[in-house]
Amino acid sequence: MEPVLKHSWNLSEMDAVKLQQELSLKIVKEDQLTKINHVAGVDVAYSEHSDKLIAAIVILDASSLHIIESVVVEDTVHFPYIPGLFSFREIPPLLKAFKQIKTLPQLIVCDGQGMAHPRRFGLASHLGVLFDIPTIGCGKTKLLGEFRDPELKRGSSSPLVDHGEVIGAVLRTQDNVKPIFVSIGHRISLATACERILKLSPKYRLPETTRQADQLVNKVLADLQRE
């Protein structure tokens, strides 16, 4: 699986911010979905003791949520940790992983933000625009914005607002558990993104895409550090 849009990753902080601002104009905020048979979850884990990282993609059957395929890539960090420029650190190793997958997903769910980002262009939006594929940002924590707590029942939500603009939704995926932060990545509406995340979260707070990818990268990283 190759990106349809390519750009240099060897960028200064200023050039990376400028690129985000340019590419954010390409985001499609409405549903442009084909039939979703397979959903991808992506995650990256970093070694505490070196510059090594593990990037993983897990492909799930959209109906059963069973794992169809998984790919793991070992790489090194090439971009510094700069708040708001997370995608420039995580996407290069993920691109290497996407090259190896055989089952093409119709939707990607990212453990991070989409439009709920200072420049409305977080990891999920960046990945979505590069591949021109529907993507959802699904963060465990808020990056920015204000909200009221949604009701305690599964499926309840409230808008995440920044300077008067709705940038995402605060979604309760299980009764009486902490909500998660859902935002448009690309080619999907916020309402459909929330519906999809609920379908991917039948038992736990986090969607299965995130849970499975997170478990995989952490297991591989732990094995690597034991060597």
Side-chain angles (χ1 to χ4, degrees):
M1 186 171 166
E2 292 281 350
V4 297
L5 188 155
K6 298 182 181 181
H7 63 71
S8 172
W9 294 96
N10 185 21
L11 298 170
S12 67
E13 180 177 352
M14 188 182 301
D15 286 339
V17 167
K18 185 180 176 185
L19 183 61
Q20 283 183 328
Q21 292 167 335
E22 291 171 359
L23 293 182
S24 69
L25 301 176
K26 295 181 178 292
I27 294 173
V28 174
K29 304 170 192 174
E30 296 83 36
D31 292 328
Q32 285 189 358
L33 302 162
T34 56
K35 186 169 189 284
I36 297 174
N37 298 311
H38 301 107
V39 185
V42 301
D43 200 7
V44 178
Y46 299 86
S47 170
E48 295 179 5
H49 313 294
S50 70
D51 63 352
K52 287 187 176 174
L53 61 81
I54 300 295
I57 300 170
V58 176
I59 310 287
L60 304 185
D61 178 275
S63 298
S64 68
L65 303 185
H66 293 156
I67 296 175
I68 303 297
E69 183 184 358
S70 59
V71 170
V72 175
V73 167
E74 182 182 332
D75 204 351
T76 53
V77 175
H78 294 293
F79 195 86
Y81 175 75
I82 301 173
L85 296 177
F86 204 46
S87 62
F88 291 89
R89 187 175 169 93
E90 302 226 324
I91 289 181
L94 287 172
L95 292 179
K96 294 179 181 178
F98 270 109
K99 278 187 178 181
Q100 298 182 26
I101 64 170
K102 298 178 176 64
T103 309
L104 297 183
Q106 290 79 43
L107 175 67
I108 301 172
V109 178
C110 298
D111 180 15
Q113 314 299 334
M115 291 186 65
H117 179 275
R119 287 171 291 281
R120 310 298 185 253
F121 200 72
L123 172 66
S125 295
H126 201 157
L127 202 58
V129 167
L130 288 183
F131 283 104
D132 193 25
I133 191 171
T135 52
I136 300 172
C138 183
K140 303 181 190 79
T141 57
K142 179 191 78 169
L143 182 60
L144 80 166
E146 303 297 327
F147 67 94
R148 290 184 179 177
D149 268 336
E151 293 180 12
L152 295 175
K153 191 169 180 58
R154 168 180 159 86
S156 299
S157 68
S158 61
L160 179 65
V161 180
D162 181 48
H163 292 96
E165 180 185 359
V166 175
I167 59 172
V170 185
L171 178 65
R172 192 90 61 183
T173 53
Q174 302 297 328
D175 292 350
N176 303 307
V177 300
K178 285 167 60 177
I180 57 175
F181 298 85
V182 179
S183 56
I184 293 169
H186 183 50
R187 287 179 52 181
I188 195 165
S189 66
L190 185 57
T192 302
C194 289
E195 288 173 14
R196 280 284 159 188
I197 294 299
L198 281 174
K199 287 179 182 177
L200 290 165
S201 312
K203 296 180 182 177
Y204 301 100
R205 175 185 177 229
L206 298 177
E208 285 303 299
T209 40
T210 300
R211 277 177 23 84
Q212 298 294 346
D214 184 63
Q215 288 175 14
L216 181 57
V217 290
N218 287 324
K219 179 183 182 302
V220 173
L221 187 61
D223 291 344
L224 183 70
Q225 292 175 342
R226 278 196 291 267
E227 291 178 0

